[in-house]
Amino acid sequence: MIVYPLFVAFWAWRALDYLHEGNLVFTCLMAVAAGVFALEGVKAVRRGRVLASRLPATS
């Protein structure tokens, strides 16, 4: 579960870094990458595939 927010934070940070440099092409590419990981993270949560193997078994 923690992987998706880390990837989103990394790509968003890279997008802001490129924006500061004035490189709009790479800013857009990094923002799209962050968006893709954000959507995939939401899909994983909705499908219930997050930490499913680490949850304690109910008795």
Side-chain angles (χ1 to χ4, degrees):
M1 172 60 185
I2 200 165
V3 173
Y4 289 110
L6 287 176
F7 279 136
V8 171
F10 173 75
W11 289 113
W13 170 70
R14 292 297 296 158
L16 289 174
D17 189 36
Y18 279 119
L19 182 63
H20 176 68
E21 294 175 4
N23 193 339
L24 293 179
V25 172
F26 281 115
T27 298
C28 292
L29 288 174
M30 300 304 148
V32 167
V36 167
F37 279 108
L39 288 175
E40 290 300 319
V42 168
K43 283 192 222 177
V45 169
R46 287 186 178 174
R47 289 181 188 144
R49 295 185 181 181
V50 179
L51 298 177
S53 62
R54 296 184 184 198
L55 294 176
T58 57
S59 54

